[in-house]
Amino acid sequence: MTQTYSEPRASYAPSDDFAAQANGTVELYRQAEDDRLEFWSQQADRLAWATPFTEVLDWSNAPFAKWFVGGRLNVAYNCVDRHVEAGNGDRVAIHWVGEPVDDARSITYAELQDEVCRAANALTDLGVVAGDRVAIYMPMVPEAIVAMLACARLGAMHSVVFAGFSASALRARIEDAQTKVVVTTDGQYRRGQAVPLKPAVDDAVAGLGETNPVEHVLVVRRTGIDTPWTEGRDLWWDEVVDSASTEHTPDAFDAEQPLFLLYTSGTTGKPKGIVHTSGGYLTQASYTHHYVFDLKPERDVYWCTADIGWVTGHSYIVYGPLSNGATQVVYEGTPASPDEHRHFQIIEKYGVTIYYTAPTLVRTFMKWGREIAFAHDLSSLRLLGSVGEPINPEAWRWYRLVFGGDATPIVDTWWQTETGAAMIAPLPGVTACKPGSAMGALPGISAKIVDDDGNQLEPGTEHGEQPSGYLVLDKPWPAMLRGIWGDPERFKETYWSRFAEQGWYFAGDGARYGHDGEIWVLGRIDDVMNVSGHRISTAEVESALVGHAGVAEAAVVGASDESTGQAICAFVILKAHHTDLSHEQMVEELRAEVAKEISPIAKPREIHVVPELPKTRSGKIMRRLLRDVAEGRELGDTSTLMDPGVFEAIRAAR
Ligand code: WT7
């Protein structure tokens, strides 16, 4: 494949050819501006409703929204059955690619319908009814998606827990949501090795003691490795699902029927169970997937590399693509398994046309070198996407050049677990993109960058420092979170109190405007870190560290990192005479403790044993200064420090 390299440009407009065939045109912005609610009503008509809605939005009890009031639908019917009824049953829904090479299968919409019906019947037999919660703790196997859709079909909520999370993280989520059933696998493949997974479920449930809500654990046989078993409680998927009937009539549920819970990190140690509902969520997931990814369901092969344990997997592997009748690749493994060619081989083999990934992975590919990509025919790609953190312009250009033949549009999509679907992103046939900017709010969405008092910032000027401010969403949107599970006060406090007077949603991100009024998201401004696109709170890691008997105090900050965006840096004070371990051994033990308490993804890059932590006179740890230390900068203003000498001690300890 030949590549022509062009000089970096300020902006990249879509080609005439791309624009001419694009799903989204400028007209879409105009329609949304004319009548926002009418616009969303039209987007909701993308779905099949059993009972039409009578009102688009009820915002009378803000911030508790109701979208598509009076409407009734079944989410799984919309994602599966209606495509079969439309005559597309033979279309491949999922090209599933296992981690072991040659372990692959393709599932048509008709086959998916049979599987989802079987699973819904099996869950019903286990006593699952509408409103119940079901935990899904699984690697990227087709059954995970089937389980999610089966819950949706029954009006039960799924709570997917990333299979990289530890038993204690799973336990906390089972406990908070009171999940009746846990769906899992015997094990999972990690870099060619079959490793156990089910024992973590046993651990999690055992730790719940008397208050254990889990009645059944449904286990998919993925690796065939030996699995501990609790008779009566544990059931093999292939024994109860495979034998269930493929006939299942879906009930229609209210548009506001809860669809799922997804836990995410906030500024405290306790993860928040973000609640999403049905009609509004599916409308926006479907709408954004159609327009932002320019999906042509008859010809595109779409691939989102996320895991279903995160919101990206929910909205852009399950609900968006399937509601649109897409054909997609779902890959179980890591990009370097068995070697660095894997993603490129998959693109080549399946003729992937749309590829959606995270900046951290693009930077990993950059590190491996472009020769790896250039060894493959990637000419099927026509659109690229990015999500999870700001993409640095250099990575953006590399991505476009090496994956996109220096020709494809790139859609940088800003959104959050809480927003449910993309909010700020280009329309690929319309927007001239600036590398590193997610550009503007999508049609129907409204976002602003404001100062402390809520005044909107001015677009940037050609020269000088651009001021930065807070990113807010000043109008409700269909896929917005409906609350935090069991904690309406925290919901109001976290998102709606900062600009309560104006009634705006506070996203927790800093941002600035560019010259043309485009939005540059700068990253979190709260105590939430973004490590390889994963959201981890400083408080969670701190609480895991102080959970170790040898630690007296801990402070955690996110420091910028070339490959992962941010990296976790911890400062700990050890208890005197606790152990005979050297500091190096202690640090290793603490890293293992964090992996055990949360997940290996939360392991600090560095842990510094220090004699003291920098505190204000009121006792608050000054993380800003710790960030300066972690990033090797000159210290900022230290005037409010209780003991300015503390840094000499910290520096000496490093
Ligand atoms: C936070 C949300 C959206 C699904 C994956 C992450 C950051 C996300 C972008 C982007 C700049 C981004 C923000 C946001 N973020 N996408 N395109 N440009 N920043 O979901 O775990 O809820 O994290 O990720 O800081 O607040 P999440």
Side-chain angles (χ1 to χ4, degrees):
M1 191 163 134
T2 56
Q3 295 294 334
T4 45
Y5 182 74
S6 59
E7 284 304 307
R9 282 171 262 155
S11 76
Y12 294 73
S15 69
D16 293 344
D17 287 351
F18 193 99
Q21 60 81 60
N23 292 349
T25 62
V26 276
E27 187 49 28
L28 208 60
Y29 291 98
R30 225 171 283 135
Q31 285 168 5
E33 215 127 279
D34 271 4
D35 188 341
R36 211 174 73 87
L37 294 183
E38 171 55 26
F39 173 83
W40 281 118
S41 163
Q42 283 170 20
Q43 297 313 320
D45 288 342
R46 306 175 56 75
L47 307 179
W49 295 83
T51 309
F53 49 90
T54 51
E55 191 187 352
V56 177
L57 169 67
D58 176 359
W59 192 229
S60 59
N61 186 29
F64 299 94
K66 287 196 174 121
W67 279 87
F68 309 119
V69 182
R72 295 180 77 81
L73 80 172
N74 186 288
V75 169
Y77 172 84
N78 270 280
C79 291
V80 185
D81 307 50
R82 69 169 166 145
H83 307 311
V84 179
E85 286 172 15
N88 294 318
D90 291 338
R91 183 186 295 163
V92 171
I94 296 169
H95 287 297
W96 179 77
V97 183
E99 170 164 294
V101 178
D102 297 330
D103 190 0
R105 71 181 162 117
S106 295
I107 303 163
T108 65
Y109 274 95
E111 289 165 344
L112 186 62
Q113 183 181 30
D114 284 352
E115 275 293 293
V116 172
C117 288
R118 281 196 189 99
N121 283 322
L123 287 176
T124 303
D125 287 346
L126 296 182
V128 174
V129 296
D132 282 348
R133 277 82 53 207
V134 173
I136 297 176
Y137 183 63
M138 297 170 91
M140 293 286 287
V141 291
E143 291 84 352
I145 296 171
V146 169
M148 291 167 77
L149 292 168
C151 289
R153 196 173 184 94
L154 298 175
M157 293 173 89
H158 51 72
S159 164
V160 181
V161 180
F162 175 55
F165 274 129
S166 67
S168 30
L170 174 63
R171 181 185 309 134
R173 287 157 176 77
I174 290 174
E175 189 165 35
D176 188 71
Q178 292 290 297
T179 52
K180 207 182 214 177
V181 171
V182 181
V183 189
T184 189
T185 60
D186 54 352
Q188 58 179 332
Y189 287 99
R190 279 290 161 255
R191 296 181 183 83
Q193 292 283 336
V195 298
L197 186 64
K198 159 82 164 39
V201 177
D202 296 334
D203 255 24
V205 174
L208 288 166
E210 294 287 290
T211 60
N212 170 26
V214 177
E215 294 171 12
H216 289 289
V217 179
L218 189 52
V219 189
V220 172
R221 229 184 283 265
R222 169 67 190 119
T223 57
I225 54 179
D226 266 355
T227 301
W229 207 251
T230 303
E231 282 306 329
R233 185 198 67 182
D234 299 349
L235 300 158
W236 286 112
W237 174 283
D238 50 281
E239 285 172 11
V240 301
V241 176
D242 292 5
S243 58
S245 162
T246 57
E247 296 297 316
H248 183 275
T249 311
D251 284 335
F253 295 99
D254 190 272
E256 287 299 336
Q257 175 77 11
L259 178 64
F260 66 84
L261 256 175
L262 185 59
Y263 286 84
T264 190
S265 295
T267 54
T268 72
K270 189 175 186 288
K272 304 176 278 198
I274 302 300
V275 177
H276 283 289
T277 61
S278 301
Y281 170 80
L282 195 63
T283 294
Q284 196 179 330
S286 171
Y287 153 73
T288 51
H289 185 258
H290 176 79
Y291 287 107
V292 176
F293 296 105
D294 192 48
L295 182 86
K296 309 289 192 287
E298 314 77 28
R299 358 184 248 280
D300 275 317
V301 179
Y302 165 87
W303 182 12
C304 165
T305 70
D307 190 285
I308 48 145
W310 314 112
V311 75
T312 309
H314 285 61
S315 303
Y316 297 109
I317 293 178
V318 183
Y319 295 109
L322 295 179
S323 65
N324 288 332
T327 294
Q328 67 178 320
V329 167
V330 172
Y331 172 50
E332 182 185 34
T334 50
S337 182
D339 61 33
E340 292 85 350
H341 289 269
R342 195 67 191 272
H343 273 219
F344 305 105
Q345 281 162 343
I346 294 173
I347 292 171
E348 196 169 17
K349 173 163 179 204
Y350 291 95
V352 171
T353 57
I354 304 167
Y355 179 81
Y356 187 31
T357 196
T360 184
L361 190 58
V362 174
R363 291 191 297 267
T364 301
F365 289 134
M366 287 173 79
K367 213 159 48 194
W368 291 343
R370 62 181 65 181
E371 300 70 29
I372 295 183
F374 289 165
H376 301 273
D377 178 5
L378 306 180
S379 60
S380 57
L381 288 171
R382 65 178 196 90
L383 179 67
L384 303 170
S386 172
V387 65
E389 57 171 313
I391 181 166
N392 47 309
E394 195 196 352
W396 194 102
R397 289 193 195 92
W398 191 95
Y399 191 25
R400 179 175 143 116
L401 174 71
V402 175
F403 275 71
D406 208 14
T408 61
I410 297 181
V411 287
D412 176 2
T413 59
W414 177 91
W415 56 295
Q416 308 176 302
T417 304
E418 292 86 341
T419 69
M423 302 292 285
I424 302 173
L427 282 186
V430 177
T431 316
C433 294
K434 301 190 187 179
S437 165
M439 303 306 293
L442 286 167
I445 301 297
S446 189
K448 278 192 168 86
I449 307 172
V450 300
D451 67 16
D452 270 309
D453 303 320
N455 303 309
Q456 187 168 0
L457 299 188
E458 297 293 321
T461 52
E462 199 83 36
H463 306 286
E465 270 286 283
Q466 320 286 355
S468 66
Y470 306 106
L471 183 61
V472 298
L473 302 167
D474 57 310
K475 296 205 173 83
W477 63 101
M480 67 197 294
L481 76 167
R482 299 303 197 262
I484 294 176
W485 184 253
D487 204 344
E489 279 315 308
R490 189 176 181 194
F491 170 59
K492 286 195 243 172
E493 172 59 31
T494 309
Y495 306 106
W496 304 95
S497 66
R498 183 67 185 74
F499 295 102
E501 213 172 290
Q502 298 89 341
W504 296 339
Y505 171 90
F506 175 60
D509 277 339
R512 64 174 178 79
Y513 287 115
H515 311 161
D516 300 310
E518 80 280 7
I519 293 171
W520 293 75
V521 177
L522 303 170
R524 306 289 308 189
I525 48 163
D526 50 14
D527 293 328
V528 173
M529 299 173 287
N530 187 331
V531 182
S532 298
H534 299 317
R535 216 163 122 171
I536 301 165
S537 86
T538 56
E540 257 176 295
V541 180
E542 284 166 4
S543 107
L545 289 168
V546 297
H548 187 284
V551 175
E553 250 195 291
V556 168
V557 296
S560 50
D561 181 281
E562 228 176 74
S563 120
T564 59
Q566 276 191 314
I568 304 176
C569 295
F571 297 83
V572 296
I573 304 176
L574 298 181
K575 284 185 189 155
H577 317 301
H578 172 74
T579 79
D580 297 334
L581 295 182
S582 70
H583 281 183
E584 287 73 31
Q585 289 167 319
M586 241 338 242
V587 163
E588 270 325 295
E589 211 173 288
L590 290 176
R591 297 182 75 236
E593 180 79 9
V594 175
K596 182 174 135 280
E597 277 305 308
I598 308 172
S599 163
I601 59 174
K603 266 196 216 170
R605 180 185 70 186
E606 42 192 271
I607 298 181
H608 303 289
V609 177
V610 294
E612 273 177 276
L613 290 169
K615 289 191 182 157
T616 61
R617 283 176 192 83
S618 61
K620 201 170 178 292
I621 294 172
M622 294 190 72
R623 284 168 214 285
R624 174 173 58 79
L625 295 178
L626 287 174
R627 254 188 312 266
D628 289 342
V629 176
E631 292 176 350
R633 265 195 309 273
E634 283 294 304
L635 289 187
D637 180 11
T638 56
S639 59
T640 53
L641 260 189
M642 170 93 152
D643 169 14
V646 64
F647 276 101
E648 268 143 59
I650 291 180
R651 287 239 156 90
R654 293 188 75 203

